[in-house]
Structure formats: structure tokens, C-alpha cells
């Protein structure tokens, strides 16, 4: 048992409550303590990614050993898939905290901000590491409730409206998830994901579990903002403070939405063709509709928020293609390729969408507006922001040599090899439209100086914000190295194999 | 906030202490009888809320009480987490390990860490319910001003 695993949850929790106590006596402690917590998490997450082998590492909280092969107690599972998600949570989290040091200086109640930030991180780490569905729900609520408060942090009219919408939809989703967990517990008599899988293999009522699957898909679909359930995302992500938008869009929708959907539908249920086709359709619809909604936006952060929906559509669609092929039992290598592409795009999206939201925050910080029509010619006055956002825009539109190109290429190649020609064409088209609206963003914000307009008073962007943006831009470049076959086999392929080989997860945990 | 009539005040004076003691009883016997940290914590918070409602309070005193209860709330969680983390150091590197001697089942001092966890949960729940209550009346007072 790797003793680092519980620290992923315990350290940010302790950090959050220490900030609340010590923060009132020592000024400025909050930001440094939060940065230290996230730095520690980043260190142990990369350490675990590099040192853990292909096998899952199971941690039994409280030391409760299985009785007659039936797991009791709480299990935390660290495997090659969750390791990747933990890395992006802590990396984006660390850079967002560094960015907030100067960005949040204009807001009051810094203690609450950093404490909620640590709580949200603890919740996401818990969701990713949890080995049973009830604890997924508990940690999901921890991260969701702290994110409701963080979205409303500006306490303006728009923020409160956005957070109310987010809370209502989030509560409906949580209710559906809890209901589905109750249904599963009723039939399977267990909450451990691996053990549910064993009970499921021994015989199950097909239509009963279909209802459960639909409820879980709807619940986590709201959290992941796939298209029919996306209404909360553009408001919440655009009215939150920018480092929080980066966390929400870059990490939260993946850790509590996409990750859980993938984990449950691959490792807990048996993949059926009906559900796989449904997931692929949802992904393709999100991909296409999200991009058309984004192109008409004039508010930078709303544009980025709709683009998140579209890019998450790529991930869901790629994973769905893998599911369809696995369900049919054909071309398992193409299925593995599609899932690899999906996971790769998920990592890439965390990097470039985090970067773009931080850029949007920097623009808002210096110019004081988010409306593209009121800016122009910022490239001269904000060279670093302009350069990094150019890198982010090229990455998200899939221009080589940036990371987005390789993940989209893998997804499109997998779609063609699996004979999903329509999806491949749609993916390529959406990528072109993405390029179009990011060129719109670049042009109106940074280049096109209109002669009649007076140059606004521009504040200088402070160093911590520049640091975060530059590091993320470098990450965007470095992540494209994962496309090299040797690195891909070391990091991405084990995660895809774990999902393809359906019984491996549960057999590793129950030891059967 | 204004207090209530003398009848309510006297009755509250008589029963608030009993309610408080009952809450402590529920928390301490959490590992033996039904109830425990959460239920007992709610009862503890109930006795405080009763006193505030019956006697009324000044706005500034309410704010001070709220900040005090927030500190206790955070301390409760921190001590709980600290106890769980001692398992990593002394309990064979297991988080939440119950490495204290378990004692005889049925005795008040038994079951290792469970009574300690219950006390932490009790403090945490009592303080947070009280904080929520205080936050709501502080909000109302601010609107009335």
C-alpha cells in the first residue's frame, strides 16, 4: 500500500482548515499556505505517476482487509488513469493559486477564497481516488459545494444568478446520482466499484441496470456539461473569478464528470452497444453544437466556456467510439487508440483551456472589460499575454506542433480506422470552426486597433500572473511530446489498456 | 435582536443546561448507544440556539460569537484529521488506523479512537450548526438596519 495515497485528500483538507484558523492572525499566510499545499500535491502526484507501475495500487482506509474476498471498508485506488487526472488537477491548481496571488488581491475575504480552493481540490482528488461509488458522491458534493461558493465570489448580480443556476442544476444531478447509487446498492448489495462489477457479472436484470445507467449518465452528464445538460456552464464559468474559471473548465468538469463517466461505464458496468452509441452521440452533438454556440460570442469568457463544451465533446466522442468497438468485440487496437486519443485530449484541454482562461483574466485585469468589441491593439501593450494566448489558441484549434493537433489527429485517425467516417469529418470541420473563433478572439483583442477608439487605461500585468501563463504555454508545447510512441506507451497506453481490459480493474482490487 | 418574555427566559434557564448535558452524554456514549457525534452535536447547538433566541443579543456580540464558533468548527475538523493521520505514523502506515488499545466492549473508555472521533465530530457539528444559525440572524439584522 502506497502511504502517499490518503495524503492527496488529507493535505488539502488540513490546508483549508488551517487557513481558516491561522489566516485571521497572520496576514498573507493564506496564499502561501495554499500554494505550499498545491506544490506538495503536484510533487506527490508526479512522483506517483512516475514510480507506480502498470498495476493499480489499492489503499484500504483503516486497514480493513476483505472478508471472504468481499471488500469491506473504504478503498482508494491509484491506477494509471487516475494518476494522469491527479497530475492535471494539481498542476493547474498550483498555477491557478500562483495566479490568484495578484489577481485576487482586489477582492476581500482572501481566507475564504484559498480555503474553498483547497476544499475543491480535496474533493476532486477524492473523486478521482475513490474506489467506491458512495465516496465518489461524497467527494463530488465537497467539490461541487465549494465551487458554488467560488463562482459567487464576486457577489455581483451576474455571479449570484450564475451560481443559483449552477446550484439548481448541480442539485438535480446530485439527486439523480444518489438515487442511482441507491438502486445499485439495492441490487448488488455492495458499493465498491470492483465488487459491483463482480456482482454484475454473476447475473443482472438488464432493464433495471439500463435505468441506473441512464440516471448516472444524466447526473454526471450535467457535471461534465455535455450538450443537453450544459445550460449552467457558460454562466458559471464566465462569471467566476478567472483562476476559478481555469480550475472549473480545465479540471473540475473532467475530474467529476468525464473521469467518473469513463470509470463507471468501463470498469463498473459491462459495455453495451446501446449505451455506447448514446454516449458517442452525446459527444458528437456537444462537439458540433458547442462550437456553433461559441462562434457568436463577444464576451471572451463565454466564448471560452462554450468552447469547453465543444472540446469535451471530442473527449466523450472518442471514448464513445472506443466503447462501441469494445462492445462489438472488434478491432480492439482501434478502440485502444480512440480511448488513448480521448484521454490525451482531456490532458491537453486542461492545459490550453486553463491557459486561455488565465489570459482572459489578465485582459480583464488590465483593461477592465471582457467584451471583445471594446478592446483592440492589446498586442503592443501586453506582449506576454498576447504571445501565450496565441499559443493557447493555436493549440486548441489543432495546429502543429502544439498538443491539440496530436490528440485531434489520434481521434480522427481512430474514427477513420473504425469506419466512423461521419464522425471523423465532423471532428475535422469542428476543428476548423474552432480555429475561426479563436482567430476572432485574437483579432479583436490583440491586433485590430480601431482608429476612432481611444486607448484604454491599461494596468500592467503582475509577475505571478505572467509566470502562470508562461508555464502553461510551455506545458502546451511539452504535452505534444506525449505523441511520441515511446512516451505514449509509457504514460497514455496503460490508462487505455486498463479501460479496454474490462475485468482487469476489478480483478486487481478484489484479488480474484 | 430582542429577547422574549420572562416566562420563556426562566424556562430556558432551567432546561438549557439539561439539554447541554444530554448532548454531551450522547456524544460520549456514541460508541455504545445509538447517536454519536453528529446527533449529540446537533443537541449541543440546540441549547445555544435556545439561549440566544430567548435572551436576545446585541448585533456586535452576535458577530463575535460567530467568529468564535467558526474557530471551533475548524479546530474540530483539524483535530479529527490529525487523529486520522496519527495512524500513518504509529498505526502501521494506515490512514484512520485504530491503533489505541480497544479495551473491554461496553465500557465507557473503550473502542480506541472512536470516542475521540465522536468528540471531534460533536464539536464540529455543534459549532457549524451554531455558525449557520448566527450567520442567518446576522444577515437578518443587517437587512433590518
Amino acid at each position: 500500500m502506497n502511504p502517499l495515497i490518503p495524503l492527496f485528500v488529507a493535505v488539502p483538507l488540513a490546508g483549508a482548515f488551517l487557513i481558516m484558523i491561522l489566516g485571521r492572525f497572520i496576514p498573507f499566510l493564506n496564499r502561501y499556505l495554499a500554494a505550499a499545499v498545491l506544490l506538495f500535491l503536484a510533487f506527490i502526484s508526479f512522483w506517483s505517476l512516475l514510480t507506480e507501475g502498470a498495476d493499480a495500487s489499492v489503499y484500504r482506509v483503516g486497514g480493513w482487509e476483505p472478508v471472504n474476498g468481499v471488500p469491506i471498508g473504504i478503498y482508494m485506488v491509484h491506477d494509471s488513469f487516475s494518476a494522469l487526472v491527479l497530475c492535471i488537477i494539481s498542476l493547474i491548481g498550483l498555477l491557478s493559486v500562483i495566479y490568484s496571488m495578484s489577481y485576487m488581491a482586489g477582492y476581500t475575504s482572501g481566507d475564504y477564497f484559498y480555503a474553498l480552493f483547497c476544499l475543491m481540490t480535496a474533493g476532486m482528488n477524492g473523486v478521482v481516488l475513490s474506489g467506491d461509488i458512495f465516496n465518489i458522491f461524497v467527494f463530488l458534493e465537497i467539490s461541487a459545494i465549494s465551487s458554488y461558493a467560488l463562482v459567487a465570489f464576486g457577489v455581483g448580480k451576474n455571479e449570484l444568478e450564475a451560481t443559483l443556476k449552477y446550484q439548481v442544476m448541480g442539485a438535480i444531478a446530485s439527486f439523480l446520482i444518489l438515487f442511482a447509487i441507491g438502486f445499485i446498492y439495492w441490487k448488488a448489495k455492495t458499493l465498491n466499484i470492483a465488487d459491483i462489477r463482480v456482482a454484475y457479472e454473476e447475473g443482472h436484470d438488464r432493464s433495471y441496470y439500463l435505468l441506473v445507467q441512464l440516471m448516472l449518465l444524466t447526473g454526471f452528464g450535467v457535471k461534465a456539461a455535455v450538450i443537453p445538460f450544459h445550460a449552467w456552464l457558460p454562466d458559471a464559468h464566465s462569471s467566476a473569478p478567472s483562476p476559478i474559471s481555469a480550475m472549473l473548465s480545465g479540471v473540475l468538469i473532467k475530474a467529476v464528470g468525464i473521469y467518473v463517466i469513463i470509470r463507471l461505464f468501463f470498469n463498473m458496468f459491462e459495455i453495451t452497444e446501446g449505451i455506447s452509441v448514446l454516449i458517442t452521440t452525446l459527444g458528437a452533438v456537444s462537439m458540433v453544437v458547442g462550437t456553433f454556440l461559441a462562434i457568436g460570442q463577444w464576451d471572451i469568457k463565454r466564448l471560452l466556456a462554450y468552447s469547453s463544451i465543444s472540446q469535451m465533446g471530442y473527449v466523450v466522442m472518442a471514448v464513445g467510439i472506443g466503447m462501441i468497438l469494445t462492445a462489438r468485440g472488434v478491432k480492439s487496437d482501434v478502440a485502444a487508440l480512440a480511448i488513448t486519443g480521448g484521454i490525451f485530449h482531456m490532458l491537453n484541454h486542461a492545459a490550453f483551456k486553463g491557459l486561455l482562461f488565465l489570459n482572459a483574466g489578465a485582459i480583464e485585469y488590465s483593461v477592465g472589460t471582457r467584451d471583445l468589441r471594446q478592446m483592440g491593439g492589446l498586442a503592443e501593450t501586453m506582449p506576454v499575454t498576447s504571445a501565450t494566448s496565441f499559443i493557447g489558441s493555436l493549440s486548441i484549434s489543432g495546429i502543429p506542433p502544439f498538443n491539440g493537433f496530436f490528440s485531434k489527429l489520434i481521434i480522427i485517425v481512430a474514427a477513420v480506422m473504425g469506419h466512423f467516417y461521419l464522425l471523423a469529418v465532423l471532428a475535422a470541420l469542428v476543428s476548423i470552426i474552432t480555429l475561426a473563433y479563436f482567430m476572432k478572439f485574437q483579432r479583436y483583442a490583440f491586433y485590430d486597433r480601431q482608429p476612432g477608439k481611444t486607448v484604454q487605461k491599461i494596468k500592467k500585468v503582475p509577475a505571478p500572473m505572467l509566470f502562470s501563463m508562461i508555464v502553461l504555454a510551455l506545458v502546451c508545447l511539452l504535452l505534444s511530446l506525449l505523441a511520441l510512441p515511446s512516451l505514449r506507451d509509457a504514460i497514455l497506453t496503460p490508462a487505455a489498456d486498463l479501460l479496454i481490459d474490462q475485468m482487469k480493474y476489478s480483478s486487481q482490487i478484489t484479488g480474484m | 435582536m430582542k429577547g422574549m418574555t420572562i416566562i420563556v427566559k426562566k424556562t430556558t434557564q432551567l432546561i438549557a443546561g439539561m439539554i447541554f448535558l444530554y448532548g454531551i452524554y450522547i456524544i460520549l456514549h456514541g460508541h455504545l448507544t445509538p447517536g454519536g457525534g453528529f446527533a449529540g452535536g446537533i443537541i449541543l447547538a440546540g441549547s445555544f440556539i435556545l439561549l440566544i433566541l430567548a435572551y436576545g443579543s446585541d448585533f456586535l456580540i452576535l458577530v463575535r460569537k460567530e467568529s468564535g464558533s467558526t474557530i471551533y468548527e475548524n479546530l474540530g475538523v483539524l483535530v479529527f484529521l490529525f487523529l486520522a493521520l496519527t495512524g500513518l505514523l504509529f498505526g502501521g502506515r494506515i490512514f484512520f488506523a485504530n491503533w489505541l488499545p480497544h479495551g473491554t466492549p461496553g465500557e465507557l473508555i473503550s473502542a480506541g479512537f472512536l470516542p475521540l472521533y465522536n468528540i471531534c465530530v460533536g464539536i464540529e457539528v455543534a459549532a457549524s450548526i451554531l455558525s449557520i444559525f448566527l450567520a442567518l440572524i446576522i444577515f437578518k439584522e443587517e437587512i433590518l438596519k
Side-chain angles (χ1 to χ4, degrees):
Chain A
M1 293 206 283
N2 179 355
L4 288 178
I5 293 177
L7 292 184
F8 278 108
V9 180
V11 169
L13 271 183
F17 295 109
L18 268 181
I19 287 171
M20 284 307 290
I21 292 181
L22 298 180
R24 33 180 98 206
F25 305 115
I26 311 169
F28 303 119
L29 175 86
N30 46 25
R31 56 202 68 178
Y32 300 117
L33 195 57
V37 164
L38 266 300
L39 188 64
F40 176 76
L41 287 182
F43 179 72
I44 59 172
S45 59
F46 280 97
W47 173 264
S48 309
L49 175 73
L50 296 175
T51 53
E52 295 278 317
D55 286 342
S57 159
V58 182
Y59 193 91
R60 299 184 192 88
V61 177
W64 295 99
E65 298 294 329
V67 178
N68 301 329
V70 177
I72 58 171
I74 298 169
Y75 281 31
M76 293 173 108
V77 184
H78 181 278
D79 57 25
S80 37
F81 183 34
S82 49
L84 288 173
V85 183
L86 284 176
C87 284
I88 59 171
I89 293 173
S90 45
L91 183 67
I92 308 286
L94 174 64
L95 293 170
S96 298
V97 166
I98 294 176
Y99 184 92
S100 324
M101 283 183 187
S102 28
Y103 187 84
M104 297 306 291
Y107 288 73
T108 52
S109 339
D111 287 355
Y112 288 105
F113 178 81
Y114 291 102
L116 286 167
F117 196 100
C118 288
L119 264 185
M120 186 168 78
T121 315
M124 286 189 288
N125 280 345
V127 168
V128 172
L129 281 171
S130 174
D132 67 277
I133 42 174
F134 190 73
N135 276 295
I136 286 183
F137 175 75
V138 171
F139 285 116
L140 177 88
E141 285 296 279
I142 292 178
S143 60
I145 290 172
S146 28
S147 69
Y148 301 152
L150 283 170
V151 167
F153 207 76
V155 283
K157 188 165 136 271
N158 290 336
E159 284 90 344
L160 293 178
E161 188 200 333
T163 197
L164 181 71
K165 206 187 236 181
Y166 182 21
Q167 278 181 45
V168 170
M169 294 201 61
I172 294 171
S174 301
F175 166 76
L176 280 172
I177 293 165
L178 188 60
F179 218 49
I181 291 171
F183 270 112
I184 292 174
Y185 189 49
W186 186 11
K187 278 278 164 169
K189 310 277 190 288
T190 174
L191 287 170
N192 189 295
I193 293 177
D195 204 31
I196 292 171
R197 175 72 194 208
V198 174
Y200 190 84
E201 290 287 323
E202 282 165 1
H204 56 271
D205 184 351
R206 208 181 170 78
S207 48
Y208 184 85
Y209 274 103
L210 187 65
L211 175 68
V212 173
Q213 283 178 326
L214 288 178
M215 284 200 292
L216 283 177
L217 190 61
T218 315
F220 288 110
V222 173
K223 300 285 179 190
V226 290
I227 249 304
F229 318 117
H230 69 288
W232 61 271
L233 185 139
D235 288 338
H237 287 201
S238 60
S239 39
S242 285
I244 297 305
S245 308
M247 278 301 272
L248 292 178
S249 228
V251 184
L252 189 91
I253 55 173
K254 303 181 185 68
V256 308
I258 311 268
Y259 171 85
V260 186
I261 290 178
I262 295 176
R263 173 66 84 207
L264 295 187
F265 282 89
F266 276 94
N267 293 137
M268 194 167 87
F269 297 115
E270 200 173 1
I271 299 172
T272 53
E273 190 161 352
I275 287 286
S276 338
V277 171
L278 182 63
I279 288 180
T280 317
T281 318
L282 285 179
V285 170
S286 309
M287 184 176 81
V288 176
V289 178
T291 197
F292 279 111
L293 288 172
I295 202 165
Q297 302 298 326
W298 286 100
D299 180 336
I300 310 175
K301 284 170 84 175
R302 277 187 92 81
L303 185 144
L304 294 176
Y306 277 114
S307 142
S308 280
I309 298 175
S310 159
Q311 301 299 315
M312 282 300 99
Y314 272 98
V315 178
V316 176
M317 187 193 78
V319 171
I321 289 174
M323 286 176 81
I324 293 180
L325 293 174
T326 316
R328 287 179 188 158
V330 292
K331 293 189 187 153
S332 62
D333 53 330
V334 181
L337 189 68
I339 293 168
T340 310
I343 296 171
F344 190 19
H345 198 65
M346 191 162 100
L347 303 182
N348 291 342
H349 182 257
F352 49 61
K353 192 48 66 69
L355 172 61
L356 286 164
F357 266 115
L358 296 188
N359 290 140
I363 295 173
E364 196 186 353
Y365 181 88
S366 354
V367 185
T369 176
R370 297 202 307 246
D371 193 341
L372 280 173
R373 282 167 294 198
Q374 291 174 19
M375 1 176 143
L378 294 179
E380 296 159 24
T381 44
M382 308 172 70
V384 178
T385 311
S386 163
T388 49
S389 85
F390 193 63
I391 292 177
S393 305
L394 290 187
S395 308
I396 198 170
S397 339
I399 306 290
F402 298 104
N403 53 6
F405 169 73
F406 295 101
S407 49
K408 284 185 181 176
L409 184 71
I410 294 176
I411 292 172
I412 293 172
V413 167
V416 171
M417 281 163 75
H419 302 295
F420 295 96
Y421 298 114
L422 178 66
L423 294 182
V425 171
L426 280 180
L429 272 180
V430 167
S431 191
I432 294 169
I433 302 174
T434 310
L435 181 64
Y437 61 75
F438 275 101
M439 286 305 109
K440 168 184 163 184
F441 165 49
Q442 289 295 320
R443 179 184 162 212
Y444 282 95
F446 293 110
Y447 297 105
D448 189 38
R449 161 89 58 90
Q450 273 139 22
K453 229 171 11 182
T454 52
V455 179
Q456 303 96 331
K457 195 173 177 301
I458 288 176
K459 270 204 283 186
K460 205 166 169 295
V461 182
M465 287 163 76
L466 294 180
F467 171 79
S468 296
M469 293 190 288
I470 292 170
V471 171
L472 271 177
L474 289 179
V475 169
C476 279
L477 260 177
L478 288 179
L479 269 176
S480 45
L481 289 180
L482 280 184
L484 292 176
S486 55
L487 277 176
R488 198 177 74 198
D489 288 343
I491 293 175
L492 291 175
T493 318
D497 286 345
L498 184 91
L499 297 172
I500 290 284
D501 187 357
Q502 289 197 21
M503 284 309 286
K504 194 175 166 194
Y505 177 82
S506 61
S507 62
Q508 274 177 345
I509 289 168
T510 54
M512 283 192 287
Chain B
M1 202 180 89
K2 266 170 59 187
M4 296 187 185
T5 61
I6 184 112
I7 303 172
V8 181
K9 280 182 182 168
K10 270 291 161 207
T11 324
T12 312
Q13 215 174 14
L14 286 173
I15 61 172
M18 303 281 251
I19 295 176
F20 190 80
L21 275 182
Y22 185 61
I24 292 180
Y25 165 82
I26 296 273
I27 292 174
L28 289 185
H29 288 71
H31 56 298
L32 304 173
T33 54
F38 193 89
I42 300 273
I43 297 171
L44 281 188
S47 75
F48 283 115
I49 292 173
L50 196 61
L51 281 175
I52 293 171
L53 282 180
Y55 282 85
S57 193
D58 191 35
F59 179 72
L60 290 173
I61 295 178
L62 284 177
V63 173
R64 216 165 62 214
K65 276 184 183 152
E66 203 261 341
S67 79
S69 71
T70 314
I71 288 192
Y72 277 104
E73 181 196 343
N74 292 310
L75 267 180
V77 182
L78 268 181
V79 176
F80 186 94
L81 204 61
F82 174 75
L83 291 177
L85 283 173
T86 56
L88 277 181
L89 294 175
F90 306 110
R93 299 164 88 193
I94 293 167
F95 193 45
F96 271 108
N98 195 349
W99 54 273
L100 282 182
H102 290 196
T104 344
E107 294 282 308
L108 181 59
I109 297 178
S110 64
F113 268 113
L114 291 191
L116 297 177
Y117 285 145
N118 268 327
I119 292 171
C120 293
V121 173
I123 293 172
E124 152 72 19
V125 171
S128 55
I129 295 285
L130 189 61
S131 303
I132 293 171
F133 171 77
L134 288 172
L136 288 176
I137 52 174
I138 288 171
F139 181 62
K140 191 183 157 204
E141 298 277 301
E142 272 180 345
I143 286 181
L144 286 179
K145 257 188 196 172

